[in-house]
Structures are given as C-alpha cells and as structure tokens.
Amino acid sequence: MSDQEMKIDPARASALISQLQSVAERIASVAKGRSVRLVAVSKLKPANDILALHQAPEKQLHFGENYAQELGQKAELLPKSIHWHFIGGLQSGHCKNLARIPNLWVVSSVDTLKKAQLLDKSRGELISSEASVPKLNIHIQVNTSGEESKSGCAPGADTVALCRAIVDECPNLNLLGLMTIGAIARSVATTPENENEDFVSLREQRDLVAKELGLDRELELSMGMSEDYEGAIAMGSGEVRVGSTIFGQRPAKADAKLTV
C-alpha cells in the first residue's frame, strides 16, 4: 500500500486537525512570538492518522516515534516530506537502520558515544550514496532527574564530554541540542508559573556545554510533553513532544495497527 492508496476517514481527520490546531494555539500563546517546534508523537497510531495531519492545510511536518521498527515501516509507507523524530530509548542494534532512513530528521535519545559513532558511520554511508541526504540531527538525552529507570547522560562532565566528542569526531551528525524526560511528579506539577526542576537543570546543562565547547551557535532545548509543555516553553524549550492530546488514547502495543 502507498500513501496514495491509504484511506483517510474525514471525521477522524477533522478531529485530529482540530486537536492539533488547539495545541498549536496554546503553544503560540505561551511562546510569545518565539518559534517552538511541535512534534506530534504518533507511536502506535496508524499511518492514516499521520497522513491526515501531513496533508492538512497546516501540513504538520514533524512526527515522533518511540519504536525503531515502527518508524521504519511508517517511513516506507508515508511521504518523504515528513520529518521523522526518533524519541524512544536508543539501542545500539537499531542505530544502523535508523540512520539510513533519509528523512529521519533527528534522533533525540543519544546517550553514549558508541551509539553516536554507529549513527555517524551509517549516516555517512547513506550520504556517500545519496549526496542530497543531510547530516543527521541529534539531541543528547540528559538524565536530569537522576532516576535509575531513565536513560540519559549524567549532568556535568559526562554530558560535556559526549557533546565535545560528537562535535569533534562525528562529521555526519549535527549536535542540535539537549533533551530530557523528567520525573513524572515534576511534570504533573509544572505550570507556566511553576518551574520544573528538570527543565532548570537542562537549561543549565545547555549553558555549560556551550561555554565549555565555545560554541558560537545556540543549542536548543527539547523538553515538554502533553502534561507539561506549556511550562517547558515558558522556560525556553524550542521543541515539545505532544501525543495523546492530539491523537487520543493509545492502544496496547500488541493491538496497534500500521494502517486501518
């Protein structure tokens, strides 16, 4: 099945577009003129939903996926004009295939040099065969909450060292910025007026990296999800990841369908 053959239910499309517009309006009201990227997190949702939003007048470009295999399958089915974000836990075994997806725009969960090197090598091979393919953007994931259950680099020297190595040793990667998924309790308590400790920490890490590496460009902050994106934007986030607020409740992974 190609995207031209994929059926889109008009009522479903209308609901999705309305929900996306509502989120976009809330982002704009908090951003106060600053550009903030909205990543529609489409994991476990059918490709039909993604196509409906991508073909809408607003033409949503950025979609986030948590599972490498699912992202690869959707990238094969859907238009190459989509900008894919891999936002799930990154495994070394997935790096080669992910980096070879031409319209994979960013990997947001890089937390070791080994994974960065694997992405760099595979992206370099793709660029060698297809000169029009751009460098792969990456975010370094920082474990700002210190939770053992969370992936990510430790704040401080480890984060700085990984960023430095990527800038110096990975010519096919572009260090776009830093990302965090903070503690749930802090997310729930976050409002535009109530600062989230994880967001404060990530901002401090961004400033530390820029200072230590002597960067002449600003690294972006990727922080904020459905529960706390307005507070994240108020603290300087340049990208928010919103899923259930747009797409509704997700099915169990075993019940998810690639198309409907």
Side-chain angles (χ1 to χ4, degrees), residues 37-75:
R37 185 184 313 113
L38 169 58
V39 180
V41 179
S42 46
K43 68 174 181 179
L44 303 180
K45 289 295 182 177
N48 312 63
D49 282 1
I50 298 169
L51 188 61
L53 290 177
H54 188 60
Q55 289 184 341
E58 294 76 15
K59 197 173 177 65
Q60 173 67 21
L61 285 178
H62 296 271
F63 292 88
E65 293 286 340
N66 286 61
Y67 305 113
Q69 183 178 2
E70 182 180 359
L71 192 158
Q73 291 172 331
K74 288 176 175 175

Side-chain angles (χ1 to χ4, degrees), residues 8 46 66 78 93 95-96 112 133 144 156-157 176 179 222 226 239 260:
I8 296 175
N66 286 61
L78 290 162
C95 291
K96 179 178 179 179
T112 70
V133 174
T144 53
L176 189 61
M179 185 274 277
S222 175
S226 288
E239 172 184 279
V260 293

